[in-house]
Each structure stands twice: as structure tokens, then as C-alpha cells.
Amino acid sequence: MRPLALVMGVSGSGKSTVGAALARRAGVPFADADDFHPAANIAKMAAGIALDDADRAPWLDLLASWLRDHEVGGGVLSCSALKRSYRDRLRDGAGRLLVVHLAGSPAVIARRQAARPGHFMPASLLASQFATLEPLAPGEPGAVLDVDRPVDVLVEQALALLAGPVATPSDPTTPWPARADRS
């Protein structure tokens, strides 16, 4: 089977950039969850209004369907997936999904967001994203990668994770590879 991965994190963490590069390197399709948002969701976010769970439900269903359609052939989806319940819903679409959480401090992410003008997600929503973020929990297959590393390094780390057995780390909040005895 080909790799199936979810690249998650707050807005500005590099999900789309890392996800697309990972998909290219793994030879699998890539999808950006932003492309699945209905116009009403984009308008709401562009107006500085955070989405609620009712706004996200149909969107998450579309994403779960995409993952289900790519479970055998593989794929990479970039999606904020800030709550465990969202990731569980996505995982229902594809049980063997590996989650790659791109994490960084609010200051680092704010600096990155400022460098990408024109995105529909305003920087004013960053605090709400961090408030909503539920890091990977014990039992969730995946790892946390530090966004301060170069894209090529993050892709190599993600490929190494995808090549190995899908682990459920006891402390998934510690950035990889520091969490394990990988270097």
C-alpha cells in the first residue's frame, strides 16, 4: 500500500507546502483541505470569524471521503484538523492515516503568516486556532515536527515516519526525532 498522511497544524504552519512536497516525493496525490471549503466558510474566515463545528461538519465529511477514496493508492491531505474529534472523523474515512503535526510557537507562526499576504485566513484568527488546537494525544498514530526546520528536512522526517510502522507515541507532543531514539 502507498502512504496515506494528514499534514496538520494551525494556519501558517506550512501544511500546504510540506504536504505538496511530501506527496511529490511519495508519488501520491495531494489535496489541500482549503480547496474543499464552501464559499460561505471562506467568506466567514475572510471576515475574521472563526468557523464553528457546524460549519466544519460537511467539509470534514468531504475530506474523509477523499481519504477513503485514496486509502489503497495513497495520498497526502493538508488540513488544520485542530481537534482530536476532527482527526477521528477523518480517520473514520481511512483507518491507516498517519498524522504529521507541524508545530511551532505562536511567535514563529505569526511571523510565517505575515510573510504570506493574500491568504483568506487573516492573522487575527491565529489566537483562536491556538486556543482550539488539541495536540496529538496518546493513541493517535503520528508525530509532531518542528516548523522551524527546512521543508526538505520536514519531508524527509515525514517519509521516514511513513516508511516505518505506524506508532502511537506515549508523548506525541515532543517533536520528532527528539521523542524517539532517531537521529
Side-chain angles (χ1 to χ4, degrees):
M1 275 190 192
R2 311 283 303 271
L4 188 65
L6 166 67
V7 180
M8 67 157 285
V10 298
S11 178
S13 62
K15 300 179 298 291
S16 298
T17 301
V18 172
L22 175 59
R24 272 192 306 279
R25 287 285 308 278
V28 297
F30 170 72
D32 188 324
D34 287 348
D35 297 336
F36 291 75
H37 274 300
N41 282 9
I42 292 173
K44 195 172 182 179
M45 289 182 286
I49 302 167
L51 300 180
D52 60 27
D53 286 350
D55 297 321
R56 287 187 186 95
W59 173 70
L60 288 167
D61 290 342
L62 287 173
L63 300 175
S65 178
W66 188 89
L67 287 166
R68 196 171 26 260
D69 291 347
H70 290 85
E71 186 162 19
V72 173
V76 176
L77 173 68
S78 68
C79 175
S80 54
L82 299 176
K83 290 184 179 180
R84 167 87 188 247
S85 62
Y86 303 163
R87 296 188 297 273
D88 288 346
R89 192 169 189 160
L90 295 174
R91 211 174 282 110
D92 285 345
R96 68 179 187 90
L97 186 65
L98 179 76
V99 179
V100 176
H101 176 188
L102 299 179
S105 71
V108 167
I109 300 296
R111 187 173 63 245
R112 293 168 64 108
Q113 270 192 335
R116 59 173 215 174
H119 192 272
F120 66 82
M121 175 69 90
S124 62
L125 290 179
L126 184 58
S128 74
Q129 289 224 320
F130 272 102
T132 302
L133 177 64
E134 296 173 3
L136 292 179
E140 280 192 89
V144 179
L145 303 183
D146 183 352
V147 299
D148 258 349
R149 296 177 187 213
V151 171
D152 290 343
V153 171
L154 294 170
V155 169
E156 286 299 324
Q157 290 175 333
L159 285 169
L161 291 165
L162 287 165
V166 176
T168 53
S170 59
D171 183 9
T173 60
T174 303
W176 187 88
R179 182 186 69 244
D181 127 51
R182 302 175 183 171
S183 39

